[in-house]
Every structure is written in structure tokens, then in C-alpha cells.
Amino acid sequence: MWRDIKVRYKQTTVGVAWALLVPIFTAVVYIVVFGKFAKFPRGNLAYPVVIISGLLPMQYFTSALSGRRQASLRTDRS
């Protein structure tokens, strides 16, 4: 997994840190927009916990689907 991340972000300015910064920035935006402005109910849990517990599986699933699509496109070209 780390090898894939290093290869993907090798030529970006912030490098591998980008793989960690994207989920953090996304969580901050969701927390501010939905937690502060929309005031969604959260139950007994802290709202950042609710947001992060939903974002991490969503981003993993999105990344897995994207990787699968790219892999099938490479296989079709061969």
C-alpha cells in the first residue's frame, strides 16, 4: 500500500503527505459546513468522530474503485 502511495504522489510538491492532507482537509470542511453551519444532530458522539468515521471508509472505497478502473483500463490496452 505504501508503495502505491509513494508512486502516486512522487512528483507532487508535498509528496506522500498529500495522501494524509486530503482526508484531513476534507474532514475539516465537513465539520465546519455540516457541524457549525447546518447544525446537524450528532447524538452523544463528538461530531468530528462521526465525520471521520464516515469519511475514511468512503475515501478508501472511492480509491479502491478508481484503482480497479485504472487497472482494468491498463489490462484492456495490452
Side-chain angles (χ1 to χ4, degrees):
M1 178 174 112
W2 284 110
R3 182 182 163 277
D4 292 337
I5 291 172
K6 286 179 185 178
V7 169
R8 179 179 296 168
Y9 299 109
K10 183 178 179 181
Q11 295 182 6
T12 62
T13 307
V14 283
V16 177
W18 189 251
L20 300 174
L21 291 174
V22 169
I24 291 170
F25 288 146
T26 306
V28 167
V29 169
Y30 273 59
I31 289 166
V32 169
V33 170
F34 296 122
K36 304 293 182 198
F37 298 134
K39 303 211 188 273
F40 283 170
R42 60 181 180 226
N44 296 331
L45 293 174
Y47 197 68
V49 173
V50 173
I51 291 294
I52 291 170
S53 66
L55 277 178
L56 290 178
M58 180 186 75
Q59 288 185 339
Y60 177 76
F61 182 72
T62 303
S63 175
L65 282 180
S66 176
R68 173 66 183 122
R69 186 178 138 270
Q70 290 173 359
S72 75
L73 288 175
R74 279 188 296 236
T75 328
D76 289 343
R77 291 182 188 167
S78 309

